[in-house]
Amino acid sequence: MSESKPQGVNDYGYRQFYLGSYSFARDEYFAHISWPGGSHMISVDRFLRALMRDVAWNFFYGTVNFDEVFGTTNHYGTVDVFAGLYNGGYRAQNRQFVETLNGDAVRSTFAAILEDWTNEGFDPFAAPEETGTPFGAKHGSNLGAVRRNRVVAQRMVGLKNDTPLRSDATGNPVNRQFSDVDQGEPEVHAEPGFEDEVHAFNFFAYLSRSDVTWNPSITSAVKNSLLCPTTEEYMLPIIHGNDRVEWFVQLSDEINWDVQDRETGAPRARVVMKPGDVAAMPADIRHQGYSPKRSMLLVWENNDSTLPELYASKKLKPNPVDF
Amino acid sequence: MPRETRFGSLAHFEKGGVQVINDDPRNYAFSNLFEVASKAEPYEKVAVGKNLKYVLEAIRAEGTSPWYAASHDEAAIVMDGEIEIRLVKLQEKIVADDHEGTTILEGAPKGQKMGHIVARRGHMALLPKGAAYQFHAALPGVILLQTIGGDLTAQRWKDICQS
Ligand SMILES: [Fe+2]
């Protein structure tokens, strides 16, 4: 294949990328990350699924660990890109590496990697059973899939001038694993003049039509209180490190969570959540979820921008309530 | 192969839980909103989630509720049953802008009828700022309310959470 290979790409057809002191390359199976004094490999399957979330979420809240070594921490303007920073073994030997970079620069490089390294037929947001393989030499692309962002309602999904509802007509069919979810709409009887304020919608049907997994998207806001439901299948492709307390309400089916110490990765607990279960995730943990069947999870966030500093400086305790 | 989607209800819920490796289960404030509602009085507003001033309340809907209002939007998700939500545009401001959380009104509100909503399991309704609202449920149901902790919010974590 080397004779027809375009300029600037490796033997497998992929571009190499540079960000700060990091370089990123891929082959048929792996992402290779290098930095001064170290290097790391991640299965490209895991890497692309993690990268998709990091880009679409704009680094989300706190830390997005791609695996036990590599990841990003959001400082809402700048981003720490790190290797070994939250790994007990690396830290014990002072082998961690971290660079604080401009958030927009990191995001645009990550988006470019995602676009170049995602092949035709692979959707990093989809459950593995619903999509093709990420492996092999470069073949085509899937720009429509990798350019999706999370939905961000200002007040509530479906209100006038807010983010729209989903239907067959909008290109959002019911997912195969939610084919039994009732699609009936609430009865909404608005008096003349109040059509824009008397509002309700079938929230579970809306979620049943999500074409992405592990992608908390805002459906309603009360000041800084954001309901960020998401549909989950297979496993969260990152290990999320909190910079504040977040809460989970299991709406349907079951998710198991592995919870670890945020700094070292030492196991702290497993949390098994069934329909109606509510649990907090403390501000000093990281977690990864496993969902055997596609399930509906309500992630609840407090968007107050002063919180990371208050938890980091221990002015707030990591647990939400004392009893 | 499609598999059945499982939801919970007052009549049927199963609880998971925290399996501790090196932790205190109370850090997770683990509860089940159907269990909480099954043990609550009608329209008691029991916090099942609290993130500083914000709360998620589990509400057992049964019969007709008082009228409520808030200085900010609230959002209601029906988790079980069928619930009617009646809305009235408040003629005068009853709740001060800086007073957060749900306020109970004395008697019926004064103002124009905005309309009503009949919502079933899985439906989300806006309880808009500036409106008074009332719930009605012929049979027991459950509402999960997104709001701010207020005068009516009951906190009894010790009773509802795994310890
Ligand atoms: Fe998380």
Side-chain angles (χ1 to χ4, degrees), chain B residues 35-134:
Chain B
E35 182 179 58
V36 170
S38 72
K39 293 176 179 170
E41 296 296 320
Y43 297 108
E44 239 189 324
K45 291 156 68 69
V46 185
V48 290
K50 183 173 185 296
N51 201 326
L52 301 167
K53 70 178 183 176
Y54 299 105
V55 292
L56 296 179
E57 296 171 344
I59 299 172
R60 177 189 182 91
E62 186 175 7
T64 305
S65 79
W67 285 89
Y68 303 107
S71 65
H72 45 78
D73 284 347
E74 299 172 290
I77 304 172
V78 177
M79 297 298 294
D80 191 18
E82 178 178 294
I83 290 151
E84 183 180 330
I85 302 166
R86 301 157 181 165
L87 293 160
V88 167
K89 188 80 184 175
L90 285 167
Q91 219 166 56
E92 286 164 25
K93 188 180 282 185
I94 288 186
V95 186
D97 283 338
D98 60 355
H99 189 83
E100 296 181 318
T102 313
T103 295
I104 203 162
L105 305 187
E106 304 229 354
K110 285 196 184 66
Q112 209 182 337
K113 269 190 185 170
M114 297 172 71
H116 71 278
I117 292 162
V118 181
R120 287 172 288 112
R121 183 175 75 188
H123 297 171
M124 182 188 285
L126 177 69
L127 306 171
K129 173 183 174 167
Y133 61 90
Q134 180 183 51

Side-chain angles (χ1 to χ4, degrees), chain A residues 155-172:
Chain A
R155 195 176 177 198
M156 186 178 285
V157 165
L159 278 173
K160 193 180 169 190
N161 301 325
D162 213 323
T163 175
L165 294 169
R166 299 177 178 137
S167 66
D168 289 348
T170 61
N172 301 102

